[in-house]
Structure formats: structure tokens, C-alpha cells
Amino acid sequence: MTMKKLVITFLCTLLFSTTISAQSESSKAYSKSYELEAAKDYKQAIVEMEKIYAESSYDMNLRLGWLHYMAGDFFKSQKYYDKAIEIAKNSVEARLGLIYPLSAMQNWNNVLQTYLDIVSIDAHNSTANYQIAVIYFIRQDYQKALKFANNVHTLYPFDYNSNVLIGKIKIKLGDISGAKRHLNRALNYSPTSQEVLYLLSTL
């Protein structure tokens, strides 16, 4: 083997070893952070992740967003989730994660906008559609609430929550027969539901 080939082989081996070592350190940090999270030692779990933190890593920003949320530092949690979204612009999971600190801080306008962003990426996301419907219902914007609740119902016609919500919306809109139809369907799903039984008794 020529000297040139020996040098190339040596450099390849060195690069491979360095990569394996880096992967090992990363895996150890993640593993340790999961152990500490299970023990509810969120601050130390954060320390473990910070040892290997790379700003350009989607995974690390997502993980730190979650850990900071669990530690009660909602501002930092939002910061890391925002960074994850910046890295992976179409990430639904990072936006769903972002909902946690935004809700904890009662930043409802941003919660709504984040859910709307999710629907713009994934129009059939049942969680986002349902939560948007709930927010609009609370805000008494019943037509918009019905639109997003129907998006869930179209995909999951026997879903309890969407049928109850549509029933409530239709009551507000004065569509009593429509409300009864959805509430009775919800009752078929959960025959002992006190919520549904009460709503039906008022119609």
C-alpha cells in the first residue's frame, strides 16, 4: 500500500471514530435526560441536554422545549419550540409542542394562531381542528366553530367530542333538530354521559 493510501485510510478511520464517539456522547446525553425526566428532575435533565446542545439541531431544540415546559420555565420552552419550528418550517409536532407553554402562559391568541398554522400545513389534523372549534365556540363565533368541528366530524363521524361540540354549537345557532341528531349520536357512543343527557333534557 502506498503512503498516499495509508494516509487516506488513516484519515477515514479517524473520521469514523470521531463520528462514532460523537454519536455515543449524544446518545448518552439523551438517555440520561430521559432517566432524569422519569425521576421528575427536569432541571438536571436540561443540564444533560445542554452539554451536547447544537443550535442547528431540531431534535435538541424540541427536547429542550419539552423539558423547560415540564420544569415550569414557559418562556424558555417557547423559545426552543420556536427555534425547532425555524429549523423545520413544516413541523406539526413542534407546533403541537409549542401549544403547551403558550397555553400555560394563557397566550390564547397565539394558541389559536398556532393551531391555524397547523391546519394550513395539515388540513386534516383532528387535534388542531377540534381545538380551533373549541376556541371559536368560547369566543361565541359559532359559524367558525361549526366549520372546524365539521372538519373533525367528516373524518370521525362517531367521535364523541366532536358530536357533543357540534350539538352545543347548533343549540346556539337555533338548529335544535341538528343538535339532537349529534347529541343522540354522542349518546350512542357514551350512553351514560351526564353531559349529553342534560343537554338533551333542555331541548
Side-chain angles (χ1 to χ4, degrees), residues 86-145:
E86 183 184 324
I87 295 166
K89 299 190 185 305
N90 288 327
S91 171
V92 169
E93 69 177 345
R95 287 176 169 85
L96 288 172
L98 178 60
I99 294 295
Y100 288 111
L102 291 178
S103 297
M105 293 185 289
Q106 299 185 33
N107 194 338
W108 303 119
N109 287 333
N110 280 353
V111 167
L112 175 59
Q113 186 55 57
T114 302
Y115 278 129
L116 289 169
D117 290 343
I118 290 170
V119 169
S120 72
I121 297 166
D122 177 11
H124 301 301
N125 189 288
S126 59
T127 298
N129 276 287
Y130 179 78
Q131 294 301 335
I132 291 168
V134 169
I135 293 170
Y136 280 133
F137 179 77
I138 292 170
R139 294 183 176 186
Q140 300 181 14
D141 192 338
Y142 301 122
Q143 290 295 346
K144 283 185 179 178

Side-chain angles (χ1 to χ4, degrees), residues 150-162:
N150 278 335
N151 288 344
V152 181
H153 183 260
T154 298
L155 296 172
Y156 304 96
F158 197 45
D159 176 65
Y160 173 83
N161 290 323
S162 60

